């Protein structure tokens, strides 16, 4: 097995290679002055099983183009099988036509990926569990929820006065799974509303929550944090219910521009994310904690 890294998250690729007890294999990625990329595999890969580590996170278009070229390079050079590990799958949210005239971006991504000859893809915590169904290649959907459950237990956050929270109704399945992993820890869901034009997020009400319950801690769990508005709205709503110890767990730190300020100044005590997306130093803040997906990915790669 040979493991290659694109430029999106070399740190994660190095951690995975370390877990596997191998060195990263070499790929040259050259950027022309106009931004175009030329990629070249620098090792013999004939009949090899090749893995590419490349989350398709922002800059999403650049990371996808680089990935397409890397797959093409490996297949042309004789690789037997190419597997992509893209913990965060870019464009997954645009999986159907929401408003007349829109493109189905995820369908375009799927067909382009499959046309390169890619054999298998490994992703984490998809926004929609139906996404694997549209792919015709091997598709492995892993989750960070087990890692979150272990962290919650290790940090002693699953007390009798704490509650799991999904910050929107779309996260119910996720919160149910985590609740089971934590011996049926109680949970509630927020009814959220986002204005598609302004991007404003409102956390309207807590569903499945008894106002007289004596919860003092809450653990908000989401698949991704982009602007940070969902998390901040959830934190603010929970504080109005008298809950002041608030922790956040999210798999994908997409962290668009305002996220650092919003999250860093929120009342969340700790915000746990994974290293599936690299968080540059200038986007980090004191309450941010990064958990590694490398052991889970290495385990998956060694077993397949
Ligand atoms: C929405 O359905 C997702 O699960 C996340 O809650 C959302 O994408 C987070 O976005 P933002 O951080 O911009 O509010």
């Amino acid at each position: 097995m040979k493991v290659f890294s694109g430029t999106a998250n070399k740190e994660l690729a190095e951690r995975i290679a370390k877990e596997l007890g191998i060195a990263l294999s070499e790929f040259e990625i050259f950027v022309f002055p106009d931004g175009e990329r030329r990629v070249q595999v620098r090792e013999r890969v004939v009949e090899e099983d090749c893995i590419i580590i490349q989350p398709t996170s922002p800059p999403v278009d650049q990371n996808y183009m680089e990935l397409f070229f890397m797959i093409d390079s490996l297949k042309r050079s004789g690789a037997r099988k190419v597997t992509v590990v893209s913990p965060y799958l870019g464009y997954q949210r645009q999986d159907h036509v929401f408003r007349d005239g829109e493109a189905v971006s995820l369908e375009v991504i799927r067909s382009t990926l499959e046309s390169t000859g890619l054999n298998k893809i490994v992703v984490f915590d998809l926004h929609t569990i139906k996404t694997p169904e549209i792919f015709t290649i091997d598709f492995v959907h892993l989750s960070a929820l087990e890692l979150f459950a272990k962290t919650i237990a290790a940090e002693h956050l699953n007390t009798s006065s704490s509650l799991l929270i999904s910050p929107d109704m779309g996260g119910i399945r996720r919160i149910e799974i985590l609740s089971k992993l934590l011996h049926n820890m109680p949970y509630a869901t927020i009814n959220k509303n986002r204005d598609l034009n302004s991007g404003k997020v409102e956390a309207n009400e807590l569903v499945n929550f008894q106002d007289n319950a004596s919860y003092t801690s809450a653990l908000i769990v989401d698949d991704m944090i982009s602007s940070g508005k969902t998390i901040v709205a959830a934190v603010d709503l929970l504080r109005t219910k008298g809950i002041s110890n608030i922790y956040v767990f999210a798999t994908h730190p997409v962290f668009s521009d305002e996220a650092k300020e919003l999250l860093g100044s929120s009342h969340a005590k700790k915000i746990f994310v994974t290293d599936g997306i690299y968080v540059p130093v200038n986007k980090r803040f004191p309450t941010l904690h990064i958990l590694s997906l490398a052991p889970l990915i290495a385990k998956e790669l060694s077993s397949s």
Side-chain angles (χ1 to χ4, degrees):
M1 180 199 299
K2 289 190 182 239
V3 179
F4 299 90
S5 180
T7 57
N9 196 342
K10 193 139 189 220
E11 290 70 12
L12 174 64
E14 274 161 358
R15 280 182 212 121
I16 294 168
K18 196 170 169 199
E19 289 282 337
L20 291 167
I22 58 177
L24 274 184
S25 293
E26 274 191 54
F27 229 107
E28 184 190 80
I29 298 171
F30 178 81
V31 184
F32 290 99
D34 63 1
E36 288 188 1
R37 281 160 192 245
R38 182 191 68 210
V39 311
Q40 182 187 24
V41 60
R42 301 300 292 266
E43 298 192 17
R44 188 180 152 79
V45 293
V46 175
E47 287 305 311
E48 291 277 0
D49 279 358
C50 296
I51 317 292
I52 304 172
I53 313 297
Q54 178 83 330
T56 44
S57 49
V60 59
D61 298 344
Q62 177 182 303
N63 288 334
Y64 262 122
M65 289 310 287
E66 191 177 284
L67 178 60
F68 299 148
F69 299 150
M70 288 179 79
I71 302 167
D72 187 66
S73 158
L74 291 171
K75 291 301 271 194
R76 281 178 197 281
S77 305
R80 188 181 76 85
K81 181 177 173 192
V82 177
T83 298
V84 164
V85 177
S86 186
Y88 177 76
L89 188 70
Y91 285 115
Q92 59 178 295
R93 281 174 288 185
Q94 190 68 33
D95 60 351
H96 64 274
V97 174
F98 292 88
R99 291 173 293 187
D100 284 353
E102 286 180 345
V104 182
S105 314
L106 184 62
E107 181 52 38
V108 177
I109 293 297
R110 179 206 64 78
S111 58
T112 311
L113 272 175
E114 294 190 353
S115 73
T116 59
L118 177 65
N119 301 94
K120 179 175 174 181
I121 186 161
V122 179
V123 304
F124 274 82
D125 290 322
L126 290 164
H127 190 61
T128 311
I129 53 165
K130 289 194 166 221
T131 296
E133 290 171 16
I134 73 163
F135 282 77
T136 62
I137 56 171
D138 276 357
F139 196 105
V140 178
H141 182 192
L142 299 178
S143 176
L145 289 176
E146 219 173 287
L147 178 63
F148 292 164
K150 281 185 186 151
T151 308
I152 288 166
E155 298 256 334
H156 307 293
L157 300 177
N158 50 339
T159 66
S160 55
S161 57
S162 44
L163 182 67
L164 293 172
I165 298 287
S166 171
D168 55 40
M169 304 304 275
I172 287 184
R173 198 190 123 271
R174 201 172 300 126
I175 215 78
E176 283 173 350
I177 294 172
L178 188 57
S179 162
K180 285 207 179 93
L181 289 171
L182 291 163
H183 312 290
N184 296 322
M185 193 170 163
Y187 61 87
T189 309
I190 292 175
N191 188 355
K192 168 185 108 175
N193 184 44
R194 185 194 300 269
D195 184 314
L196 285 180
N197 293 317
S198 67
K200 192 168 176 240
V201 172
E202 277 172 357
N204 298 322
E205 54 167 339
L206 265 171
V207 182
N208 192 23
F209 178 80
Q210 292 165 333
D211 267 328
N212 57 359
S214 55
Y215 293 111
T216 54
S217 302
L219 316 178
I220 302 171
V221 183
D222 209 350
D223 57 339
M224 69 180 86
I225 302 177
S226 181
S227 66
K229 288 178 185 170
T230 298
I231 294 301
V232 169
V235 170
D236 291 347
L237 177 66
L238 290 167
R239 282 168 56 82
T240 66
K241 304 287 179 190
I243 297 177
S244 53
N245 297 317
I246 302 171
Y247 297 82
V248 176
F249 291 82
T251 309
H252 308 295
V254 179
F255 288 2
S256 46
D257 287 345
E258 56 196 326
K260 176 184 173 177
E261 282 66 38
L262 283 178
L263 298 168
S265 62
S266 80
H267 286 93
K269 293 214 179 315
K270 288 184 184 178
I271 297 183
F272 294 89
V273 296
T274 77
D275 61 354
I277 294 179
Y278 176 70
V279 182
V281 174
N282 65 358
K283 285 194 174 181
R284 298 184 187 189
F285 44 92
T287 49
L288 181 69
H289 297 259
I290 301 176
L291 308 170
S292 186
L293 294 178
L296 286 171
I297 296 171
K299 190 173 158 204
E300 166 61 30
L301 295 177
S302 331
S303 68
S304 52

